[in-house]
């Protein structure tokens, strides 16, 4: 809303409580010169005011790295997933997801050559002339397309980045290549090879995601197939991120503090350039890129599916003065019309009335997507805000997870 200089949304459409209304969005069509002006910002000696973040959000990084386990999913799945590898992986995931919600994964099956092709493809796309990239410009209220600093959604606290997002659904049985079709339809037939790279990459990420869901199901005691089956026919969102060098990195952010609305995020970081940070005990701790590993973090949709037992990961991305950074994010989501609620087995196994009590109302992924794309800028309180928007009551995000100091401080800074 114009009256909210902290978050700088474009306008108000729904009055859903003061704490929610402060971050309500009204998408508008960006003018052509908006994106042009943003494109001219890269390489300038000073950053424009809309890119300057409040000191609370741009809090200095800690010198400490995040203590995130490295989970060998390949070892977990060997022998039908019933051996020591699965038990070890489930213990690691349970510990990470009950604290900060992030772990790294090896043995995921992603071909290194495909990973390199996908990262190089993103680099090539973002080097294209702005006019070419604008062919895929994201429409207001839509999650797919090209965006420069999200000027189509916000007027302040702009992220210092460019993104290209597109959807993926598993239609291989029907012989449909959704990603290839997207690239050729919006960018032209010359982009078919790049679309084919991302089609293969998305399919590899979907299979890795389902394997990880088996480990997560085991860690929560609901069985390996519970969450895998829930997401088997789901939809996903793929996002290529580019963070240019920034002349004033201490005043800017590549991505502000937030929890992902999706269920699970699989992130591939390019090379040794760091940028991803997670808030733990009031400190922004670095997630060091690990060769060959995927970074996995829990999102709000899975927090609801676990009835608050597993924490949405509050994270941000910082930028550098002289180094550019790229990453690929794959967001696993349920089918649009699938109802998100904890499995009965999870609630039945809970100890005591308080753990069995439903912490969040039922919603569909379509509800969450509509809310975060059109009405609310995702942060650490998105689930609570969604519950109010749906007309239901929910506890504070801190109470819905573990009530730890890190989550309390997380909400104070966003």
């Amino acid at each position: 809303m114009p009256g909210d200089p902290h978050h700088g949304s474009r306008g108000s459409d729904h009055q859903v409580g003061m704490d929610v209304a402060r971050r309500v969005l009204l998408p508008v069509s960006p003018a052509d010169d908006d994106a042009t002006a943003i494109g001219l910002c890269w390489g300038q000696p000073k950053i424009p005011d809309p890119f300057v973040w409040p000191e609370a959000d741009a809090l200095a990084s800690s010198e400490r790295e995040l203590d995130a386990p490295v989970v060998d999913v390949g070892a977990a799945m060997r022998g039908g997933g019933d051996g020591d590898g699965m038990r070890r992986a489930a213990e690691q995931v349970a510990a990470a997801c009950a604290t900060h919600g992030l772990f790294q994964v090896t043995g995921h099956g992603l071909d290194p050559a495909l990973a390199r092709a996908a990262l190089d493809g993103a680099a090539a796309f973002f080097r294209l002339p702005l006019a070419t990239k604008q062919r895929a410009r994201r429409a207001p209220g839509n999650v797919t397309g090209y965006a420069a600093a999200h000027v189509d959604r916000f007027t302040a606290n702009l992220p210092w980045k460019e993104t290209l997002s597109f959807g993926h659904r598993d239609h291989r049985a029907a012989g449909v290549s959704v990603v290839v079709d997207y690239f050729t339809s919006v960018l032209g037939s010359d982009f078919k090879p790049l679309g084919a790279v991302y089609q293969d990459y998305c399919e590899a990420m979907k299979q890795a995601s389902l394997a990880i869901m088996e480990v997560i199901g085991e860690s929560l005691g609901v069985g390996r197939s519970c969450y895998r089956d829930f997401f088997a026919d789901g939809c996903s969102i793929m996002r290529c991120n580019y963070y240019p060098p920034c002349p004033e990195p201490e005043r800017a952010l590549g991505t502000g503090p937030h929890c992902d609305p999706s269920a699970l995020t699989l992130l591939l970081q390019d090379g040794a350039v760091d940028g991803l940070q997670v808030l733990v005990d009031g400190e922004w701790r670095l997630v060091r890129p690990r060769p060959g590993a995927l970074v996995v973090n829990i999102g709000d949709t899975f927090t609801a599916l676990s009835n608050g037992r597993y924490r949405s990961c509050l994270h941000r991305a910082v930028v550098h003065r002289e180094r550019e950074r790229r990453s690929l994010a794959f967001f696993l989501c349920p089918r649009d019309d699938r109802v998100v609620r904890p499995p009965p087995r999870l609630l039945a196994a809970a100890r005591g009335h308080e753990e069995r009590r439903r912490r969040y109302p039922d919603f569909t992924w379509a509800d969450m997507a509509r809310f975060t794309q059109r009405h609310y800028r995702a942060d650490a309180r998105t689930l609570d805000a969604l519950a109010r928007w749906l007309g239901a009551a929910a506890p504070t995000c801190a109470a819905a997870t573990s009530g730890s100091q890190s989550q309390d401080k997380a909400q104070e800074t966003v």
Side-chain angles (χ1 to χ4, degrees):
M1 283 161 32
D4 178 11
H6 187 134
H7 296 296
S9 57
R10 287 278 188 176
S12 175
D13 189 36
H14 281 254
Q15 298 301 315
V16 288
M18 289 300 294
D19 57 336
V20 176
R22 289 181 63 223
R23 293 173 63 83
V24 169
L25 309 177
L26 181 60
V28 298
S29 297
D32 288 341
D33 57 355
D34 277 351
T36 302
I38 293 301
L40 294 176
C41 291
W42 311 153
Q44 296 301 306
K46 289 281 189 180
I47 65 173
D49 288 344
F51 287 94
V52 177
W53 283 75
E55 291 184 8
D57 287 340
L59 187 70
S61 307
S62 170
E63 294 182 358
R64 302 172 63 185
E65 292 186 21
L66 182 71
D67 182 16
V70 180
V71 180
D72 188 342
V73 174
M77 302 302 290
R78 289 192 199 111
D82 296 321
D84 291 340
M86 176 61 79
R87 284 188 288 274
R88 167 72 172 157
E91 290 171 359
Q92 290 177 301
V93 166
C97 293
T99 52
H100 48 65
L102 183 144
F103 52 95
Q104 300 210 43
V105 163
T106 59
H108 42 66
L110 174 63
D111 184 342
L114 177 58
R116 186 70 261 161
L119 288 166
D120 290 347
F125 174 82
F126 290 117
R127 285 195 298 264
L128 291 170
L130 180 61
T132 303
K133 293 183 286 190
Q134 286 285 80
R135 294 182 202 163
R137 186 173 66 187
R138 185 174 62 191
N142 203 335
V143 71
T144 60
Y146 167 76
H150 294 335
V151 293
D152 57 323
R153 301 183 66 203
F154 313 123
T155 59
N157 305 131
L158 297 180
W160 192 265
K161 69 175 180 179
E162 298 177 45
T163 62
L164 175 67
S165 306
F166 44 92
H168 171 260
R169 294 176 186 271
D170 193 351
H171 290 310
R172 286 175 297 174
V176 178
S177 298
V178 175
V179 179
V180 175
D181 292 346
Y182 172 79
F183 271 78
T184 56
S185 64
V186 302
L187 290 167
S189 58
D190 289 347
F191 288 83
K192 184 174 181 179
L194 184 58
V197 168
Y198 286 123
Q199 182 79 40
D200 291 344
Y201 184 87
C202 287
E203 289 169 3
M205 288 297 95
K206 178 66 178 292
Q207 293 308 307
S209 299
L210 295 180
I212 294 167
M213 279 298 174
E214 289 196 40
V215 177
I216 291 176
E218 192 71 16
S219 73
L220 284 168
V222 297
R224 290 167 43 203
S225 64
C226 178
Y227 293 121
R228 181 187 180 100
D229 293 348
F230 185 87
F231 289 99
D233 62 350
C235 59
S236 303
I237 301 163
M238 176 75 192
R239 178 166 296 158
C240 305
N241 298 305
Y242 171 60
Y243 303 92
C246 179
E248 299 178 278
E250 69 281 356
R251 304 177 70 205
L253 287 172
T255 303
H258 70 287
C259 297
D260 292 335
S262 57
L264 203 67
T265 303
L266 276 64
L267 183 77
L268 178 64
Q269 303 190 83
D270 190 5
V273 181
D274 61 80
L276 176 63
Q277 297 182 343
V278 175
L279 191 70
V280 176
D281 295 331
E283 295 182 333
W284 285 107
R285 298 183 185 174
L286 170 70
V287 179
R288 182 77 62 186
R290 181 180 291 270
L294 296 171
V295 176
V296 179
N297 69 262
I298 298 295
D300 282 336
T301 294
F302 195 84
T303 292
L305 278 171
S306 69
N307 203 37
R309 286 181 56 181
Y310 281 2
R311 179 191 299 276
S312 285
C313 177
L314 182 64
H315 57 286
R316 71 179 187 179
V318 298
V319 289
H320 302 280
R321 189 177 304 275
E322 297 179 351
R323 294 179 296 168
E324 64 181 12
R325 175 174 174 260
R326 285 174 292 272
S327 66
L328 304 177
F330 181 85
F331 303 99
L332 182 69
C333 313
R335 197 178 65 205
D336 288 347
D337 61 350
R338 192 173 291 283
V339 176
V340 175
R341 65 165 67 100
R345 185 175 175 182
L346 180 73
L347 297 176
R351 291 171 293 186
H353 171 75
E354 184 61 23
E355 287 191 10
R356 286 193 293 270
R357 181 176 63 88
R358 286 287 304 280
R359 295 180 179 271
Y360 302 102
D362 289 354
F363 61 89
T364 65
W365 171 244
D367 293 329
M368 174 66 88
R370 183 169 61 252
F371 182 60
T372 53
Q373 285 299 310
R374 300 186 179 185
H375 306 300
Y376 193 81
R377 188 172 187 174
D379 62 8
R381 297 168 289 189
T382 302
L383 275 175
D384 296 340
L386 174 65
R388 294 186 180 93
W389 184 68
L390 293 172
T396 64
C397 195
T401 52
S402 66
S404 70
Q405 182 184 20
S406 63
Q407 184 68 23
D408 291 339
K409 290 186 177 179
Q411 292 187 56
E412 291 169 3
T413 61
V414 296

